[in-house]
Amino acid sequence: MDRDLSLYRPNVGVVLFNADGRVWLGHRINTPGPWRWQFPQGGVDEGEDLETAARRELFEETGVRSIAYLDRTPGWITYDFPPDLGGPRAKWGHKGQKQVWFAYRFTGTDAEIDLEAHGEQEFDAWRWARLDETPSLIVPFKRAVYEQVLTAFARFAG
């Protein structure tokens, strides 16, 4: 299905793999359950390179800078916002988000992870998980995206 990509907010997502091939998941702060776990992701600033945005979002949300590039998805992956989502997404005036996902290997130690590295805290907890369990932990309207990301980056999983 062809989508009008101009209707979607540009966004990047990051899958951070540790040395054991597990992935970093954050527990969203002030978000009703049960689906509160997700990968770091965020908007792309005007004129910002996609990988620069991915590295910035990763640092802002996790405090992590010690990474090695593994791969990225080749094109945009889109998802629609549910009609009843509301909140700040409603003011953006977008149908949903278009995302490019990046995979990185974490080369630091867990002590580097700082959920308060940036002024606006996104997560109140974090953990390492298996990549194949992530689709069941994300909000249902993003599950198809996580399935695509899982397929794209499965070779890096432990």
Side-chain angles (χ1 to χ4, degrees), residues 2-157:
D2 288 332
R3 293 180 181 236
D4 180 352
L5 293 178
S6 69
L7 300 175
Y8 293 82
R9 176 179 178 252
N11 191 277
V12 289
V14 174
V15 182
L16 184 66
F17 291 88
N18 70 10
D20 296 328
R22 291 174 99 61
V23 295
W24 191 97
L25 286 175
H27 191 255
R28 289 196 54 83
I29 200 166
N30 299 324
T31 302
W35 302 290
R36 296 178 60 189
W37 294 96
Q38 73 171 53
F39 295 129
Q41 70 171 63
V44 178
D45 294 337
E46 186 69 35
E48 188 176 32
D49 172 79
L50 293 175
E51 188 177 1
T52 300
R55 289 173 178 268
R56 175 184 52 75
E57 285 292 337
L58 179 64
F59 173 73
E60 288 176 0
E61 296 183 5
T62 69
V64 168
R65 290 195 191 271
S66 302
I67 56 174
Y69 175 87
L70 296 172
D71 201 4
R72 63 170 271 181
T73 55
W76 294 110
I77 298 172
T78 61
Y79 68 86
D80 293 346
F81 296 134
D84 60 345
L85 191 60
R89 289 159 191 86
K91 72 178 179 188
W92 293 334
H94 293 107
K95 182 176 180 174
Q97 297 201 102
K98 58 184 179 182
Q99 299 179 308
V100 171
W101 284 82
F102 290 83
Y104 296 104
R105 180 78 62 201
F106 182 45
T107 59
T109 66
D110 288 0
E112 181 177 342
I113 297 169
D114 177 5
L115 301 181
E116 298 177 22
H118 186 66
E120 298 176 41
Q121 189 175 346
E122 300 265 346
F123 303 113
D124 58 13
W126 67 273
R127 68 182 177 107
W128 295 109
R130 290 188 337 267
L131 179 62
D132 64 1
E133 72 182 292
T134 61
S136 67
L137 300 173
I138 190 67
V139 292
F141 68 91
K142 293 184 184 179
R143 283 197 184 140
V145 171
Y146 273 53
E147 291 286 352
Q148 290 177 67
V149 169
L150 188 155
T151 300
F153 299 146
R155 67 192 181 280
F156 304 120

